[in-house]
Amino acid sequence: METEYKLKPDLGDILRFIRNFLKRLEPLGIDEEKLFDIRLTLEEALINAVKHGSREDKTKFIFLKIKASAKILEIEIEDEGQGFDYENLPSPAQDANLEKLSGRGVFLIRNLMDKVDFFNRGRKMRMVKYLK
Amino acid sequence: MKITEEKKDDIVICKVQGEVNLDTSPDLRKKFDSFISSNTKKIIINFSDVPYIDSSGLATLIELLQRLRKIDGKFRICNMSEKVRSIFEITKLCKLFEIFDTQSAALENF
């Protein structure tokens, strides 16, 4: 399965899109634990793209490419925002940052996916999850 | 999300049913507003029916911890599924929250 989407930066629409997309993965027989990881990373990445990338500017779009087989899931997300300094994000898992109310999205993505790369000054992220 | 509460002495046991995420966090926050305004200082959150949590849900729990601390209150979380607990472990929030395997363990010496 290989699909491309052009999404409006609307949180409600994005969450509904993810729920529908996960249903489309059902035929691949992905186990529940991996589906949890995929859902959480997709939500965190797309919510970041809406809030910090597009800043909910309805004239901008989020571009999503998904390639899925029984063995591997590859997701590419690109927004039209300013990008971010993905190499110098403070770790939310450090004692001094434990009580911070934000900053866990990318950290979770990096921990739950098998491979995560950023391009174009952080505007584009590619993540990979091995399914088998 | 459905939240039910039960009182045991001065402790409120709050059972959350459903996902704790961007969509539902406001409901949880509202429930805690009512606890805090009624000066409830000891809360146990039972997570046995919580299949999913995201970073927004985690932030809501941190916020609650901070607000309860201001009134000398505290809360404990119990009965998390293995997967939900793994999110607390990855983020090291298991160091910040008091997490118990069972509700009776959470009630002990609270």
Side-chain angles (χ1 to χ4, degrees):
Chain A
M1 177 176 107
E2 201 172 336
T3 332
E4 292 187 18
Y5 303 90
K6 187 177 172 186
L7 304 169
K8 283 188 183 167
D10 178 281
L11 285 176
D13 287 352
I14 294 270
L15 293 175
R16 270 189 295 278
F17 166 82
I18 294 169
R19 273 197 291 273
N20 289 328
F21 172 72
L22 291 173
K23 279 184 198 154
R24 293 191 57 201
L25 290 182
E26 277 170 15
L28 296 175
I30 302 169
D31 71 54
E32 265 186 43
E33 201 167 311
K34 285 195 168 106
L35 266 181
F36 183 113
D37 296 346
I38 293 164
R39 175 180 172 191
L40 186 54
T41 50
L42 250 185
E43 284 188 3
E44 298 292 345
L46 286 171
I47 289 169
N48 274 351
V50 172
K51 285 188 173 176
H52 308 299
S54 312
R55 297 190 178 174
E56 301 190 51
D57 176 348
K58 307 285 187 213
T59 64
K60 291 183 172 164
F61 287 95
I62 296 160
F63 302 91
L64 178 64
K65 272 189 206 170
I66 296 176
K67 207 171 153 187
S69 70
K71 284 187 181 172
I72 188 169
L73 176 72
E74 293 173 77
I75 301 171
E76 220 175 83
I77 297 172
E78 186 165 15
D79 64 58
E80 296 184 299
Q82 299 295 307
F84 70 103
D85 185 4
Y86 55 88
E87 282 176 332
N88 292 300
L89 290 174
S91 167
Q94 279 177 356
D95 286 352
N97 297 331
L98 280 183
E99 290 203 30
K100 288 200 172 157
L101 298 179
S102 59
R104 285 183 186 80
V106 174
F107 181 82
L108 280 168
I109 292 166
R110 281 180 162 142
N111 276 278
L112 297 175
M113 294 307 256
D114 293 311
K115 199 167 183 282
V116 180
D117 293 301
F118 291 92
F119 307 90
N120 199 8
R121 286 188 284 164
R123 289 187 199 104
K124 182 165 155 181
M125 176 170 62
R126 184 183 296 142
M127 44 196 191
V128 172
K129 183 87 176 165
Y130 297 111
L131 305 176
K132 290 265 161 71
Chain B
M1 173 191 283
K2 192 178 164 197
I3 305 171
T4 49
E5 53 181 282
E6 178 195 342
K7 227 174 165 196
K8 276 200 179 166
D9 303 321
D10 58 342
I11 303 168
V12 169
I13 301 161
C14 174
K15 187 161 186 188
V16 181
Q17 290 171 277
E19 300 181 347
V20 181
N21 58 20
L22 186 69
D23 255 354
T24 60
S25 285
D27 296 342
L28 193 58
R29 195 173 293 119
K30 214 167 150 188
K31 180 50 92 180
F32 284 110
D33 283 345
S34 71
F35 291 149
I36 286 163
S37 56
S38 63
N39 212 29
T40 302
K41 292 185 178 174
K42 290 181 183 175
I43 301 168
I44 290 174
I45 309 175
N46 188 321
F47 256 39
S48 62
D49 287 322
V50 175
Y52 182 81
I53 190 161
D54 67 4
S55 66
S56 154
L58 296 173
T60 304
L61 293 173
I62 296 167
E63 201 187 312
L64 170 69
L65 181 87
Q66 294 167 344
R67 290 175 66 197
L68 269 176
R69 198 186 280 148
K70 281 186 192 157
I71 59 163
D72 287 324
K74 52 187 178 176
F75 79 92
R76 292 176 168 179
I77 312 174
C78 65
N79 294 71
M80 278 186 194
S81 72
E82 226 172 276
K83 191 63 195 174
V84 168
R85 192 177 180 127
S86 76
I87 300 301
F88 283 77
E89 278 160 11
I90 288 168
T91 53
K92 304 282 181 238
L93 287 174
C94 45
K95 292 204 289 192
L96 187 66
F97 295 115
E98 290 186 75
I99 299 172
F100 293 82
D101 289 341
T102 63
Q103 188 172 298
S104 51
L107 276 163
E108 253 174 62
N109 305 316
F110 194 18

